[in-house]
Amino acid sequence: MADQNGHIDLGPPREVVAGVGFPAPPPPIYACTLTPELVAKAREELQEKPEWRLRDVQALRDMILKDHPNLRTRLDDAFLLRFLRARKFDYDRALQLLLNYHASRKAWPEVFQDLKPSTMKHVLDLGFLTVLPRPDPHGRYILCLRPGKWKPNDYPFVDNIRAIYLTLEKLIQPEETQVNGIVILVDYTGVGLSQASNPGPLLAKKVVGILQDGFPIRIKAVNIINEPRIFKGIFAIIKPFLKEKMAERYVLHGSDLASLHRVIPQSVLPQEYGGVAGRLDMSAWSRTLLEAEEEFVVEFCQPDPLEGVILPDSMLFEGEQAGTRGEDSFRHLRSQLYYCY
């Protein structure tokens, strides 16, 4: 039964994934799982009105069916709500985001083909990424990246991107994350010239393009710690592709853990970062993803959702046509990296 704020009493709290503390996916038939506090937050920050929520979802669904009838996409309430929330219930921008979400798969098949946790186990086992088990005081889960764990001769860098995308897909399932967003913590311990110069500007542009314009998640902060001198060159690769608002969310802490603790409290950080939440456990998130194998097979191991769909060129992510310009830019930036190193 829904109360006057649109909150539905679902009885006992939803099951929490073992060992991680991460909420399980919502039920297949949509029922709001937000607390009254999050309902109020969504109303204030995302322009989400509980009494109009399903009407808004239906409006977006109608636009998809009318303007892109051949698009093979999920049309259920829970899925479409992700895109509406990410664009503050602006129908046109939510539709654009959905199209970009699918267009990124077409433009970058080496990332999205056969994308499932079992094919990324080598990345997960290496310790390149994890999600901290407890959210911060704002309810935001913390994606922890450790690029220094990866070496170019381990496997292609694109596998790291595949693992990050799998993680984002899992993170965005609970409605709490759709409203609260996430925080990214990047620990550059051990990053040298070989890792820093590997991605290149074209790869950086694609990653940033997906995170900013091709995925329904709100990245509220990016905290960088233990960054080496060459980070100036790394950020020079990324910054041209960042929107001003996103660039302002990057915070460099160096080795100053006290600075990090001012934005992420010690209660949710592991001991490695001066926290009191135990040792950093890289295996728990790996288990969470591997246990969701079937979800990803259904989502990513199916025919191309854009087959037969014509999209404007401006909607697709730039690829090989920018190759020459990108290589010239990369040569210049690589010289910067050598200088900083």
Side-chain angles (χ1 to χ4, degrees), residues 7-19:
H7 174 65
I8 297 178
D9 182 5
L10 297 178
R14 287 183 292 155
E15 178 185 0
V16 170
V17 178

Side-chain angles (χ1 to χ4, degrees), residues 12-268:
R14 287 183 292 155
E15 178 185 0
V16 170
V17 178
V20 178
F22 188 71
I29 298 176
Y30 179 73
C32 181
T33 58
L34 298 175
T35 63
E37 292 76 20
L38 284 178
V39 168
K41 183 176 182 179
R43 182 189 290 271
E44 179 180 353
E45 296 185 10
L46 307 181
Q47 319 306 317
E48 177 175 346
K49 298 177 174 60
E51 62 273 19
W52 292 353
R53 185 186 291 123
L54 295 183
R55 183 209 67 175
D56 293 335
V57 170
Q58 186 60 48
L60 178 57
R61 185 183 295 117
D62 290 342
M63 290 173 68
I64 296 168
L65 294 174
K66 178 183 176 182
D67 299 336
H68 304 279
N70 296 323
L71 180 65
R72 289 196 293 269
T73 184
R74 285 174 54 184
L75 293 171
D76 55 283
D77 296 347
F79 181 74
L80 295 182
L81 263 175
R82 301 177 188 178
F83 296 87
L84 286 166
R85 285 170 172 152
R87 291 298 180 262
K88 298 186 177 180
F89 282 76
D90 182 314
Y91 299 163
D92 292 327
R93 295 177 64 227
L95 176 60
Q96 180 74 54
L97 179 61
L98 175 67
L99 294 173
N100 286 348
Y101 173 83
H102 288 298
S104 63
R105 301 191 196 184
K106 190 177 186 71
W108 210 353
E110 59 267 39
V111 168
F112 296 99
Q113 187 173 7
D114 196 33
L115 184 59
K116 53 188 177 183
S118 60
T119 63
M120 290 295 99
K121 192 172 184 301
H122 58 289
V123 181
L124 301 173
D125 290 345
L126 189 68
F128 176 80
L129 64 74
T130 190
V131 173
L132 301 187
R134 300 177 186 173
D136 71 6
H138 303 286
R140 306 174 301 195
Y141 279 92
I142 301 167
L143 168 58
C144 181
L145 303 176
R146 301 195 295 172
K149 292 292 182 180
W150 171 79
K151 302 294 185 292
N153 59 354
D154 290 334
Y155 51 78
F157 183 81
V158 74
D159 285 0
N160 292 328
I161 299 170
R162 285 163 62 84
I164 291 172
Y165 199 92
L166 283 175
T167 292
L168 293 178
E169 283 284 352
K170 190 64 181 172
L171 279 173
I172 200 59
Q173 287 181 348
E175 294 193 281
E176 298 97 309
T177 303
Q178 295 167 29
V179 174
N180 292 325
I182 65 169
V183 169
I184 298 177
L185 172 62
V186 188
D187 179 3
Y188 272 91
T189 298
V191 171
L193 185 62
S194 60
Q195 294 105 321
S197 62
N198 192 275
L202 288 180
L203 199 57
K205 182 174 183 180
K206 282 185 175 182
V207 173
V208 172
I210 288 175
L211 293 179
Q212 291 186 142
D213 300 311
F215 196 86
I217 200 162
R218 306 172 72 210
I219 300 175
K220 304 301 291 181
V222 180
N223 293 283
I224 311 292
I225 61 172
N226 299 318
E227 67 273 15
R229 289 178 59 195
I230 59 173
F231 184 78
K232 182 192 299 183
I234 298 172
F235 197 62
I237 295 175
I238 301 171
K239 191 172 182 180
F241 312 125
L242 293 174
K243 295 178 179 177
E244 182 179 358
K245 190 174 183 180
M246 180 59 71
E248 292 173 350
R249 292 177 179 174
Y250 277 69
V251 182
L252 309 184
H253 300 281
S255 58
D256 184 359
L257 291 180
S259 172
L260 177 65
H261 298 159
R262 283 193 285 272
V263 292
I264 303 179
Q266 293 172 274
S267 59
V268 303

